[in-house]
C-alpha cells in the first residue's frame, strides 16, 4: 500500500527566471486523489466512489498542503441526464448513459458497444503518472499518461488503449484527453482559414451545445488548427483566466468544445471519429496523439507566452545550447525563388540569384519546386525524384558548390507524399495511391496522394530522401504537401482494416522524419502544405519551421502573423519579403514595409532580387543585418501583442522581450492614417522597471525629445511616442531597446 505524501513523487525544482518553481506529482491513497503541480498550475483528479476517474480541479496553483476528499460523482439531473453523463470524467467510455462526447467508443465482436472504464492502478512516470483504467467486464485496458511541465504547468496527456481479450474489437472514437471547466461565462478562441487565408482568430461566447473544430482531410488542414483557448469572461490580452490546449497530430483530428445541459464545459480532442475505425486484434494497442493543456491567469497574451516557451523548450527539435538552456537555433535568413521563377529553375538562373542573395547577407539559399523529374509545371514529375537533366545537366553539385562558395548553405524543396499520374512512379505503381477500386481517383493540382501507410511506399519515400541527402550536401528540406485526401482506401488490407490508414499514414510520416533526422542530424526541415496546411505540435517534434501561408502580402501577413502567434512561436513562422505590387491583392507597398512585416517572424526573401536596384538591395542588406542582431529576442523572446491588426485596426504593434529582459524589439505598423490621427503612445511591457534601456531606431523615428535611454519603468508607464510624421498608408517602424 502506498503511503500518502511519503509515496509522493517529488520532482526537481526548476528555475524560471528568478523564481524557483517546483513541480510535483502526488497520490493520496486514502482519498484516491492524484495531484499534479507545475509552474503556477495545479491539476487534480481522483477515483470517485463509483470507481470512475473524475476531474476535480484545473487552475491556479493550490497550497502545498491543500487536500481533496474522495471525488463524488455528480447527481442525476432527472431521469434524462444520468450521473454518469454529468460527472466530468477524465476519460469516459461510451456506455452506461453517456450523452456527452465520449473519450472512447468501442464495438466488440459480439455486437456489444457498452464500455464503462473504472480505475485499476497507477504507476509513476516522469513528471506525472500513468493511470490504468479497465472496462467493468471486458479486457479493454486504457492507460492514461500525464506529465506536467515544471516551468509552464503545461500538461501533456495521451492514452494507450489495449485489447487484452481474445477477440478483435473496433475503436470507433478515441480521444487523447478530455478537459473539464466548471460552469461559467466563457469565450472560446480558435483559429480557422483557407488557402492563402490561414490564421483567422475567432472569438465567440461558449453556448450550450457543441462547437466542433476539426479536419477530416487526412492532414492538419488550413481550414482549422488544432488549438483552442477558453477565457473566463470576455477576451482580454493581459488579464483573466485562460485554459488552452493544442493537439499534437497531423492527421484528421477533432476538438469538441461542449457546454452540457448543466452548463459545464468539456473539451475533448484526438483522432477525428469521422470515418474512423481502428481494429485492435488481441494483444494489440493503439496510442493516441498527445493533447497539451495549459492555464494562465494573465489573459491570452500570458497563455501564448507559456505555449511559445513550451514549444521552444519541449516540442521543437533542439540543436544548439545557449546560456545553459537548450533552445532551437534561430532560423537562418533564407532566399527562395518560388515567387520569382516558379517552376522555371535551372543551373544558370539559380546561380545568378544565389550571387544576388549572398550580397544581401542571406544565410541559406533554397531551390523550390521544378528541379526534378519531368517537372515543367504542376502536371508532371511528382514521384520521380531524379535531377532534371535539361535544367541541371551536371546534377545539383555545381549549384550547391556555388551556394557554399558564396557563404550560404543549401536547401531543397520536396513533396514526398505525392505523385502526378504523369510520372514514371505512377505508371509503375498505380496501386500505391489512396483509392477505392473502380472509383475515379480525384486529382487536385493534378496530383494524387501516395498511401504512406503502405510499408513499400514508406520504404520508397524514405529511400529516395535518404539517397538525396547522402549524395548531396543539403542543409535543409522544404517538405511540401499540396492537397487533401479523397477516396482514402487502403486496398492491400481487408475492408474492415482499411480505416487504419488515418493512423498509420501519419505514424509513417513521423517515422520517416525521425529516421531522416537520426541519419542526417544536421539537416533541418520545414513543414509546408501549400502554406500553413500542416502546422501542429505533432509535426513540430520533427520539423524546425513552418511555412504559414502562400499569401505573402505584407499587410495580410500582419493579421495572419497575429493569429498564428496565439498558438505558435514566431521562431517557426517563416516570412518572406516578396515583390510589389503583390500577386494576390495587387497592393503596392514599400520595401521597408515589406521587410518589417516579415521581420516579425523568421525572415526570408522571396522576391525576384535579380530585378532589384541598388537602393532596394541596400535597404534589404541593412535591414537583414539589423534583423540578425535582434533575432533571438525577436523570435524566442516573450511576445506582447500591444495593438492587434485584427478587426480593421488602423494600427498594429508587437513587442518582444528577451527572457533575461536584456533586450526588447518593437514593430509598429500603420494601415491607413485617418483624420490625421497620431500613432498611439506605446506603453511597453515585460521590461525590468529598475533597469536602464537605450532606445535605437531600426527604422523610423521616435518623437523629438524622446530620451536616448530611460528606465524600464519609463518605457512601460510613460511609453514610447512615435515621430509626428509617422502617418500615411502602409507605414512601418521598428525599434530596439538594450539594457545598459
Ligand atoms: C506550395 C508552397 O506553399 C509554395 O511555397 C511552393 O513551394 C509551391 N507549393 C511549389 O509547388
Amino acid at each position: 500500500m502506498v503511503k500518502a505524501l511519503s509515496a509522493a513523487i517529488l520532482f526537481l525544482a526548476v528555475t524560471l527566471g528568478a523564481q524557483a518553481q517546483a513541480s510535483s506529482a502526488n497520490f493520496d491513497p486514502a482519498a484516491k486523489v492524484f495531484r499534479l503541480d507545475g509552474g503556477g498550475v495545479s491539476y487534480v483528479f481522483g477515483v470517485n466512489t463509483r470507481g470512475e476517474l473524475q476531474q476535480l480541479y484545473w487552475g491556479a496553483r493550490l497550497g502545498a498542503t491543500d487536500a481533496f476528499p474522495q471525488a463524488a460523482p455528480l447527481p442525476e439531473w432527472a431521469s434524462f441526464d444520468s450521473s454518469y453523463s454529468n460527472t466530468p470524467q477524465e476519460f469516459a467510455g461510451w456506455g452506461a448513459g453517456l450523452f456527452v462526447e465520449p473519450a472512447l467508443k468501442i464495438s466488440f465482436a459480439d455486437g456489444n458497444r457498452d464500455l464503462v472504464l473504472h480505475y485499476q492502478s497507477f504507476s509513476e512516470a516522469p513528471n506525472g503518472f500513468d493511470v490504468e483504467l479497465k472496462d467493468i467486464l471486458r479486457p479493454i485496458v486504457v492507460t492514461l499518461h500525464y506529465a506536467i511541465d515544471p516551468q509552464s504547468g503545461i500538461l501533456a496527456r495521451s492514452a494507450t488503449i489495449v485489447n487484452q481479450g481474445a477477440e478483435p474489437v473496433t475503436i470507433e472514437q478515441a480521444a487523447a484527453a478530455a478537459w473539464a471547466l466548471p460552469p461559467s461565462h466563457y469565450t472560446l478562441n480558435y483559429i480557422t482559414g483557407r488557402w492563402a487565408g490561414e490564421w483567422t482568430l475567432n472569438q465567440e461566447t461558449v453556448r450550450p451545445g457543441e462547437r466542433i473544430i476539426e479536419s477530416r482531410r487526412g492532414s492538419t488542414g488550413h481550414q482549422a488548427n488544432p488549438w483552442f483557448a477558453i477565457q473566463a469572461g470576455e477576451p482580454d490580452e493581459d488579464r483573466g483566466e485562460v485554459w488552452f490546449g493544442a493537439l499534437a497530430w497531423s492527421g484528421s483530428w477533432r476538438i469538441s468544445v461542449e457546454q452540457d445541459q448543466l452548463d459545464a464545459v468539456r473539451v475533448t480532442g484526438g483522432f477525428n471519429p469521422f470515418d474512423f475505425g481502428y481494429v485492435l486484434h488481441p494483444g494489440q494497442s493503439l496510442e493516441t496523439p498527445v493533447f497539451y493543456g495549459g492555464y494562465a491567469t494573465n489573459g491570452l497574451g500570458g497563455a501564448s507566452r507559456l505555449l511559445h516557451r513550451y514549444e521552444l523548450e519541449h516540442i521543437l527539435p533542439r540543436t544548439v545550447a545557449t546560456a545553459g538552456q537548450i533552445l532551437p537555433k534561430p532560423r537562418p535568413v533564407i532566399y527562395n525563388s518560388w515567387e520569382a521563377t516558379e517552376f522555371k529553375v535551372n543551373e544558370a538562373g539559380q546561380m545568378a540569384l544565389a550571387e544576388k542573395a549572398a550580397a544581401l547577407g542571406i544565410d541559406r539559399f533554397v531551390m523550390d519546386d521544378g528541379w526534378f523529374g519531368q517537372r515543367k509545371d504542376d502536371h508532371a514529375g511528382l514521384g520521380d525524384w531524379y535531377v532534371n537533366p535539361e535544367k541541371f545537366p551536371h546534377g545539383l553539385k555545381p549549384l550547391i558548390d556555388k551556394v557554399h562558395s558564396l557563404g550560404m548553405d543549401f536547401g531543397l524543396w520536396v513533396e514526398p507524399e505525392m505523385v502526378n499520374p504523369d510520372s514514371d512512379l505512377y505508371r509503375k505503381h498505380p496501386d500505391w495511391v489512396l483509392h477505392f477500386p473502380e472509383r475515379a481517383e480525384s486529382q487536385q493540382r493534378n496530383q494524387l496522394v501516395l498511401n504512406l501507410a503502405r510499408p513499400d511506399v514508406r520504404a520508397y519515400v524514405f529511400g529516395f530522401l535518404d539517397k538525396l541527402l547522402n549524395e548531396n550536401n543539403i542543409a535543409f528540406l522544404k517538405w511540401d504537401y499540396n492537397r487533401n485526401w479523397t477516396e482514402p482506401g487502403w486496398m492491400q488490407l481487408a475492408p474492415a482494416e482499411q480505416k487504419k490508414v488515418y493512423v498509420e499514414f501519419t505514424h509513417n510520416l513521423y517515422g520517416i522524419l525521425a529516421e531522416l533526422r537520426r541519419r542526417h542530424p544536421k539537416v533541418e526541415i520545414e513543414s509546408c502544405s501549400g502554406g500553413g496546411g500542416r502546422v501542429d505540435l505533432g509535426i513540430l517534434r520533427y520539423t524546425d519551421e513552418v511555412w504559414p501561408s502562400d499569401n505573402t502580402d505584407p499587410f495580410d501577413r500582419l493579421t495572419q502573423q497575429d493569429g498564428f502567434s496565439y498558438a505558435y512561436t514566431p521562431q517557426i513562422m517563416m516570412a518572406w519579403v516578396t515583390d510589389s505590387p503583390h500577386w494576390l491583392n495587387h497592393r503596392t507597398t514599400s520595401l521597408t514595409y515589406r521587410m518589417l512585416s516579415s521581420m516579425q517572424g523568421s525572415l526570408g526573401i522571396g522576391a525576384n532580387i535579380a530585378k532589384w536596384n541598388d537602393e532596394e538591395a541596400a535597404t534589404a542588406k541593412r535591414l537583414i543585418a539589423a534583423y540578425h542582431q535582434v533575432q533571438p529576442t525577436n523570435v524566442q523572446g516573450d511576445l506582447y501583442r500591444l495593438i492587434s491588426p485584427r478587426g480593421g485596426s488602423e494600427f498594429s504593434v508587437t513587442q518582444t522581450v528577451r527572457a533575461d529582459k536584456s533586450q526588447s524589439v518593437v514593430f509598429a505598423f500603420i494601415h491607413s492614417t485617418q483624420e490625421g490621427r497620431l500613432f498611439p503612445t506605446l506603453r511597453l511591457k515585460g521590461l525590468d522597471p529598475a533597469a536602464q534601456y537605450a532606445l535605437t531606431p531600426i527604422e523610423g523615428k521616435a518623437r523629438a525629445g524622446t530620451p536616448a535611454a530611460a528606465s524600464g519603468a519609463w518605457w512601460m508607464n510613460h511609453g514610447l511616442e512615435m515621430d509626428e510624421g509617422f502617418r500615411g498608408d502602409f507605414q512601418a517602424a521598428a525599434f530596439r531597446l538594450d539594457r545598459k
Side-chain angles (χ1 to χ4, degrees):
M1 165 97 157
V2 193
K3 280 192 223 113
L5 292 184
S6 64
I9 313 136
L10 208 61
F11 294 100
L12 286 180
V14 184
T15 309
L16 175 65
Q19 268 181 330
Q21 296 274 6
S23 88
S24 63
N26 298 307
F27 177 64
D28 174 351
K32 297 189 181 155
V33 167
F34 296 87
R35 176 170 165 177
L36 295 155
D37 297 287
V41 181
S42 295
Y43 188 90
V44 188
F45 58 97
V47 183
N48 69 22
T49 48
R50 241 184 347 236
E52 298 144 7
L53 213 56
Q54 181 174 338
Q55 199 235 48
L56 292 170
Y57 178 81
W58 183 22
R61 192 158 176 158
L62 303 170
T65 56
D66 291 338
F68 282 75
Q70 183 170 15
L74 267 64
E76 175 180 285
W77 181 256
S79 56
F80 297 98
D81 286 304
S82 70
S83 164
Y84 185 70
S85 200
N86 297 340
T87 300
Q89 294 191 49
E90 286 287 290
F91 203 83
W94 186 74
L98 187 84
F99 303 115
V100 292
E101 268 315 323
L104 186 61
K105 183 173 185 305
I106 282 183
S107 271
F108 292 88
D110 62 358
N112 169 47
R113 302 194 307 283
D114 187 73
L115 182 77
V116 178
L117 297 169
H118 277 190
Y119 170 76
Q120 286 279 109
S121 61
F122 83 96
S123 55
E124 300 167 11
N127 285 358
F129 300 108
D130 288 337
V131 182
E132 199 174 280
L133 311 178
K134 188 178 157 297
D135 178 61
I136 46 177
L137 287 175
R138 306 236 167 158
I140 293 294
V141 175
V142 178
T143 305
L144 304 183
H145 309 288
Y146 293 84
I148 195 158
D149 174 38
Q151 288 180 317
S152 62
I154 289 179
L155 203 59
R157 290 183 57 190
S158 63
T160 307
I161 303 147
V162 189
N163 178 6
Q164 293 185 352
E167 299 284 337
V169 302
T170 303
I171 300 176
E172 294 171 349
Q173 184 161 347
W179 310 91
L181 304 180
S184 186
H185 170 70
Y186 294 111
T187 302
L188 170 66
N189 299 266
Y190 62 103
I191 292 167
T192 58
R194 60 190 160 91
W195 175 79
E198 303 90 333
W199 311 111
T200 300
L201 182 75
N202 303 274
Q203 301 185 309
E204 65 191 29
T205 301
V206 175
R207 297 202 184 283
E210 204 168 2
R211 156 64 74 190
I212 301 287
I213 318 164
E214 65 171 348
S215 164
R216 299 179 175 192
R217 296 162 180 267
S219 63
T220 323
H222 302 71
Q223 291 71 16
N225 192 266
W227 167 89
F228 75 91
I230 295 179
Q231 176 141 29
E234 300 307 316
D236 193 301
E237 190 62 23
D238 299 311
R239 282 170 294 272
E241 291 185 290
V242 177
W243 292 262
F244 58 94
L247 200 54
W249 187 240
S250 315
S252 291
W253 58 273
R254 191 177 82 161
I255 295 175
S256 62
V257 179
E258 192 178 12
Q259 189 180 61
D260 72 12
Q261 59 291 336
L262 303 178
D263 296 333
V265 172
R266 295 156 212 238
V267 183
T268 309
F271 297 121
N272 194 324
F274 178 81
D275 200 36
F276 196 78
Y278 196 97
V279 178
L280 217 49
H281 291 276
Q284 287 185 342
S285 63
L286 174 65
E287 190 101 22
T288 72
V290 179
F291 201 173
Y292 297 93
Y295 168 83
T297 49
N298 47 349
L300 289 165
S304 61
R305 285 188 290 278
L306 281 179
L307 193 50
H308 292 174
R309 195 129 304 281
Y310 189 81
E311 289 161 357
L312 288 166
E313 291 176 0
H314 300 288
I315 301 284
L316 289 165
R318 280 156 283 168
T319 44
V320 165
T322 40
Q325 224 182 6
I326 311 263
L327 286 179
K329 201 171 81 181
R331 306 292 67 229
V333 174
I334 64 132
Y335 177 75
N336 180 304
S337 72
W338 171 247
E339 288 199 19
T341 64
E342 294 210 334
F343 300 94
K344 292 186 219 76
V345 293
N346 59 42
E347 190 179 286
Q350 292 291 299
M351 282 186 177
L353 285 166
E355 278 178 10
K356 295 272 181 189
L360 300 178
I362 297 279
D363 306 310
R364 171 171 290 167
F365 184 85
V366 183
M367 177 157 69
D368 211 281
D369 199 347
W371 59 268
F372 55 91
Q374 293 307 308
R375 187 82 164 160
K376 297 185 179 60
D377 53 32
D378 61 16
H379 286 79
L382 285 175
D384 299 341
W385 297 103
Y386 60 86
V387 180
N388 181 289
E390 281 94 55
K391 297 179 183 185
F392 296 92
H394 316 290
L396 295 178
K397 191 167 186 311
L399 173 62
I400 296 178
D401 287 350
K402 171 87 176 173
V403 166
H404 289 160
S405 75
L406 291 165
M408 301 179 290
D409 67 22
F410 180 78
L412 194 63
W413 180 96
V414 287
E415 190 172 3
E417 300 140 279
M418 298 289 168
V419 67
N420 288 116
D422 186 0
S423 67
D424 296 342
L425 185 71
Y426 185 75
R427 284 184 280 273
K428 198 167 164 201
H429 296 292
D431 54 323
W432 275 14
V433 298
L434 292 175
H435 71 286
F436 290 128
E438 296 169 21
R439 307 291 303 178
E441 292 163 357
S442 302
Q443 293 182 30
Q444 287 163 3
R445 206 194 193 206
N446 312 302
Q447 64 195 56
L448 299 167
V449 184
L450 288 172
N451 182 357
L452 204 60
R454 289 174 61 122
D456 45 6
V457 174
R458 183 195 199 280
Y460 171 78
V461 168
F462 176 77
F464 93 72
L465 288 165
D466 189 42
K467 184 163 177 284
L468 190 66
L469 296 175
N470 280 330
E471 291 177 355
N472 299 284
N473 194 346
I474 292 172
F476 169 79
L477 290 176
K478 173 176 172 181
W479 184 303
D480 209 343
Y481 182 89
N482 277 301
R483 59 160 291 177
N484 295 131
W485 292 10
T486 53
E487 302 94 25
W490 181 355
M491 287 308 130
Q492 274 178 314
L493 302 189
E497 306 274 348
Q498 288 189 12
K499 291 177 179 172
K500 278 189 175 167
V501 71
Y502 286 105
V503 176
E504 304 309 331
F505 186 111
T506 304
H507 280 165
N508 281 351
L509 168 65
Y510 292 160
I512 291 170
L513 287 165
E515 183 64 7
L516 283 176
R517 293 199 79 104
R518 203 181 59 72
R519 290 216 201 172
H520 307 277
K522 291 196 180 130
V523 174
E524 298 177 345
I525 303 174
E526 174 178 289
S527 175
C528 170
S529 171
R534 193 153 62 186
V535 183
D536 59 78
L537 295 191
I539 202 87
L540 286 175
R541 288 185 299 224
Y542 309 100
T543 53
D544 304 85
E545 60 186 55
V546 303
W547 182 227
S549 180
D550 276 350
N551 183 349
T552 53
D553 176 300
F555 173 64
D556 282 4
R557 269 292 177 116
L558 294 182
T559 315
Q560 292 188 308
Q561 290 169 181
D562 176 83
F564 184 98
S565 74
Y566 287 88
Y568 302 103
T569 163
Q571 158 83 11
I572 62 163
M573 184 174 77
M574 299 308 291
W576 304 346
V577 173
T578 57
D579 287 314
S580 174
H582 193 264
W583 58 269
L584 185 61
N585 295 321
H586 299 189
R587 179 178 291 117
T588 301
T589 51
S590 70
L591 180 58
T592 306
Y593 180 84
R594 283 177 272 148
M595 288 291 299
L596 266 56
S597 167
S598 293
M599 284 163 68
Q600 271 193 332
S602 282
L603 175 65
I605 305 286
N608 191 352
I609 49 178
K611 292 193 177 156
W612 277 8
N613 60 31
D614 289 350
E615 193 189 333
E616 287 171 313
T619 301
K621 186 174 180 176
R622 173 174 62 80
L623 289 171
I624 289 171
Y627 178 80
H628 271 135
Q629 286 179 2
V630 296
Q631 189 179 2
T633 304
N634 194 38
V635 296
Q636 299 184 342
D638 285 330
L639 173 70
Y640 295 86
R641 292 173 288 257
L642 299 187
I643 305 177
S644 168
R646 277 180 289 116
S649 170
E650 207 171 322
F651 313 108
S652 71
V653 183
T654 56
Q655 183 205 352
T656 40
V657 182
R658 213 181 164 104
D660 65 4
K661 297 186 186 290
S662 62
Q663 191 178 60
S664 182
V665 186
V666 178
F667 287 99
F669 300 91
I670 299 176
H671 175 196
S672 291
T673 300
Q674 290 180 297
E675 298 160 354
R677 220 182 326 279
L678 294 181
F679 203 89
T681 299
L682 300 178
R683 296 173 76 177
L684 304 185
K685 294 185 178 154
L687 302 174
D688 175 356
Q692 287 287 312
Y693 290 90
L695 178 77
T696 311
I698 294 172
E699 185 66 45
K701 283 193 287 188
R703 188 175 178 172
T706 300
S711 67
W714 165 278
W715 299 117
M716 292 193 290
N717 298 318
H718 174 278
L720 167 62
E721 293 171 295
M722 295 290 166
D723 180 61
E724 291 189 0
F726 189 47
R727 301 182 209 189
D729 295 339
F730 306 112
Q731 300 295 310
F735 299 86
R736 57 185 282 183
L737 292 100
D738 295 275
R739 192 170 58 197
K740 298 209 327 173

